[in-house]
Structures are given as C-alpha cells and as structure tokens.
Amino acid sequence: MTEFAAVPLHHDGADLIGGLIVPEGPGPHPGVLVVHTAHGPNDMMRERAARLARLGYAALVVDMYGGGREHRSAEAAGGPFAELVSRPERLRERIVAWHAALAARPEVDAARTAAIGFCFGGKCTLELARSGAEVRAVVSYHGLLGSDRPAESGAVRAHVAVYAGALDPYAPRADIEKLERELADAGADYTLTVFQGAAHGFTDPDADAMGREGISYHAGADALSWAGTVALLETALA
C-alpha cells in the first residue's frame, strides 16, 4: 500500500486538494471515493481510505471545500458547508467532477468505481447517484437525505446503500421514507438500513466528544454498516 498522494482539482473557482491511496500490486484497481463530513477531510476519512486500500481498492479522499483543510469546529465548518448546501447545482457538479477525476487516474479501472460518504458526504454520494454518473455503488452513512432535484426514472445506475440512525435529528423518519419513495419511483437498486439505537455520527468514535444532542458513536451500527459496505463493494466492483 502506498502513501497518500495529493490530487488537485480546480472546480468553479475553488482549488481542491484530495488524497489518493493505492493498494499494492499492479493496477488498474477498482476505485472508491471517500467523501467527508461537514468538517472537511480528516484523519477518519484517511483511515477509511486506508482500509479500502488494504482490501484492494484505490481510494480517493475528496475535498469538497478547498485547500484540503479540516474544519475542526462547527463554527469553522459552517461557512463552507452552508455555501455548498445552498447551491445544490454546484454541490452535484463538484462531486461529479471528483468522480471523473477518480475515473481518469491511471491507477483506477474507470469501469469499476464506487463512492462512500459520511454525514454531508452521504448527501454528496446520493447526489452522485442522482446525477446518473457511471458509478456502480454509493453508500451513505448517517447522511443528509433530501434533494431539490430527486432522481429521475431510470437515472440511477448505482446500487444505493443508505445506513441511517433512527435517533438522527438530521435525517428524521420523514426524510428516510421520502428517500425510499424517491428511489423506488426512480427504479433504483437500493438497500436502506435503519439502526434503531443509533443517532447522527454513529460511525465516528469521536462523536460523543462534540457534546451535541443527537450526535453519538454506536459501535454496532458502525461495524454492521462497514461490513455491509465491504460486501457491496466486493459484489459491485468484481
């Protein structure tokens, strides 16, 4: 397994810096985007990417904001997060651009790509699927589920896996049910799992340190959602 290599991407006035990690052995390898939470690319995203590389995938940690920086506090993250969420066309175009950048890498088999995303990143991966991109699988963990441009019939090419927490105030039951109707109406291939005891941020071991109601780690949901992801990638990217 190699070290992370910087991957620059200029998009709509923003200079973005992602990080690619490639497994040992000859390529091209199946590729997976790893999309960060509202706080930007951080060690958790790189740890997940390293896990994927050990499993044989080239993993690209994206930067949706610019500069490749982590925004540790909610106050610091709020500005870039709000700016992108308020401009859904730019958000969708940016995650599509990152997917194109992944597929263009010589280390990556462009015909075998997927994307996983956490919180805000889950919203991004769902927008990638809604865009009709040639991606085989997308995974959302405790993601933001709504969209002002829902999937059109026949547009979703990926298998969509959504892992949500029943106690997540940012993805209430109404949003989960609306997304399920959207995916069904679009004829998408999807899996939707709701962990009854889990809140927002259930994959993040540091979530409880935030001290915010409705955000906490859940070891069972974390382990089960990751095991489901591994199984999906093994099937979709074979």
Side-chain angles (χ1 to χ4, degrees), residues 2-238:
T2 64
E3 298 296 322
F4 282 91
V7 178
L9 176 67
H10 185 79
H11 180 262
D12 196 18
D15 290 315
L16 314 169
I17 305 173
L20 179 72
I21 188 166
V22 179
E24 299 289 347
H29 309 278
V32 182
L33 293 179
V34 179
V35 193
H36 57 76
T37 71
H39 291 273
N42 60 12
D43 287 343
M44 179 182 163
M45 300 302 107
R46 287 182 283 273
E47 189 273 334
R48 295 286 176 150
R51 287 192 205 181
L52 291 168
R54 288 192 292 270
L55 293 171
Y57 304 104
L60 176 57
V61 178
V62 311
D63 169 19
M64 292 294 290
Y65 296 158
R69 295 184 298 274
E70 177 184 4
H71 302 271
R72 292 184 178 274
S73 70
E75 293 75 18
F81 168 79
E83 193 276 336
L84 266 184
V85 171
S86 69
R87 298 184 63 181
E89 299 87 356
R90 174 186 278 189
L91 186 152
R92 182 177 291 190
E93 290 168 0
R94 185 161 293 176
I95 193 61
V96 169
W98 270 120
H99 178 255
L102 174 72
R105 298 289 304 189
E107 306 94 337
V108 172
D109 180 349
R112 294 188 293 159
T113 61
I116 69 172
F118 302 80
C119 179
F120 165 69
K123 178 179 181 65
C124 295
T125 62
L126 291 174
E127 288 301 307
L128 179 64
R130 290 174 173 124
S131 77
E134 292 280 0
V135 58
R136 291 195 181 183
V138 303
V139 182
S140 167
Y141 311 92
H142 44 86
L144 310 180
L145 305 179
S147 178
D148 71 327
R149 292 190 293 170
E152 298 180 0
S153 179
V156 179
R157 302 171 187 270
H159 179 96
V160 178
V162 176
Y163 295 101
L167 306 180
D168 186 344
Y170 303 101
R173 175 65 66 174
D175 285 5
I176 294 171
E177 293 173 351
K178 184 176 180 180
L179 176 65
E180 186 165 22
R181 290 193 299 271
E182 175 191 346
L183 294 173
D185 290 347
D189 183 18
Y190 70 94
T191 305
L192 203 160
T193 302
V194 180
F195 296 109
Q196 292 304 310
H200 190 67
F202 61 74
T203 63
D204 184 358
D206 296 326
D208 297 270
M210 297 181 189
R212 296 172 63 186
E213 186 176 356
I215 301 178
S216 63
Y217 179 62
H218 191 290
D222 182 20
L224 288 169
S225 60
W226 185 253
T229 299
V230 171
L232 173 60
L233 295 178
E234 287 177 349
T235 303
L237 301 185

